[in-house]
Amino acid sequence: MKKGNSKKNELYKPLKYFLLYICFTLSFSFWGPRTYFEYDKLAVFFYILAFLVLFSAGYYLGSSRPDAFRQIKTNKDELTLRVPFLNICIILTLLYAAINFLTLLTSGDHSFSFDSIGQNYNDYYDAHNATK
């Protein structure tokens, strides 16, 4: 196998994993244990298909540029501006998730036992649909 071809395979691994994950979750939503009310499978399929085609095209075009990875190393000023912003976003997201978890924990409506995971999901789904 050529050295350049091996590098290309490594380059497209994240795209392949992403496509597999999306296809798996789509098939799970179609044929999984849960039946969704008024779920138009055909419309969802074409929407996801269009998304995957556009995402793959963008990934392919962006990664096929010869300077795609060199640019990250040489443009350090832009990178130093983005990293603190990214850290702030991560901290805010974790804080939001922690507040939501603490609210759920203190409400007493849910059990965190592994024996009742499915029941918790059903209760949440029923409560969510009742508020609509």
Side-chain angles (χ1 to χ4, degrees):
M1 185 182 246
K2 293 181 183 178
K3 201 174 205 179
N5 199 11
S6 159
K7 190 172 184 179
K8 275 206 179 232
N9 285 339
E10 290 293 320
L11 186 63
Y12 296 117
K13 259 188 185 177
L15 178 62
K16 291 175 186 177
Y17 291 143
F18 179 75
L19 294 174
L20 281 172
Y21 173 74
I22 295 298
C23 290
F24 172 74
T25 56
L26 181 65
S27 65
F28 198 70
S29 76
F30 287 171
W31 302 290
R34 176 64 100 177
T35 303
Y36 297 100
F37 182 66
E38 293 184 7
Y39 187 60
D40 188 1
K41 291 180 183 179
L42 190 62
V44 171
F45 173 76
F46 282 116
Y47 176 80
I48 294 297
L49 182 67
F51 167 75
L52 291 178
V53 167
L54 291 173
F55 184 86
S56 299
Y59 188 95
Y60 179 77
L61 291 173
S63 63
S64 64
R65 290 180 47 196
D67 63 339
F69 296 104
R70 221 173 337 138
Q71 185 177 2
I72 293 173
K73 293 178 182 174
T74 58
N75 197 355
K76 290 183 181 177
D77 292 336
E78 187 175 332
L79 191 60
T80 56
L81 289 175
R82 287 186 185 177
V83 170
F85 178 72
L86 181 62
N87 288 340
I88 290 170
C89 289
I90 290 170
I91 290 169
L92 288 175
T93 303
L94 287 174
L95 184 64
Y96 177 75
I99 290 171
N100 279 339
F101 179 73
L102 289 174
T103 305
L104 182 67
L105 190 64
T106 57
S107 71
D109 293 338
H110 298 285
S111 168
F112 291 99
S113 168
F114 285 116
D115 296 336
S116 61
I117 290 175
Q119 188 60 44
N120 285 339
Y121 179 78
N122 287 335
D123 292 344
Y124 173 78
Y125 189 77
D126 292 340
H128 179 70
N129 284 340
T131 60
K132 285 188 175 183

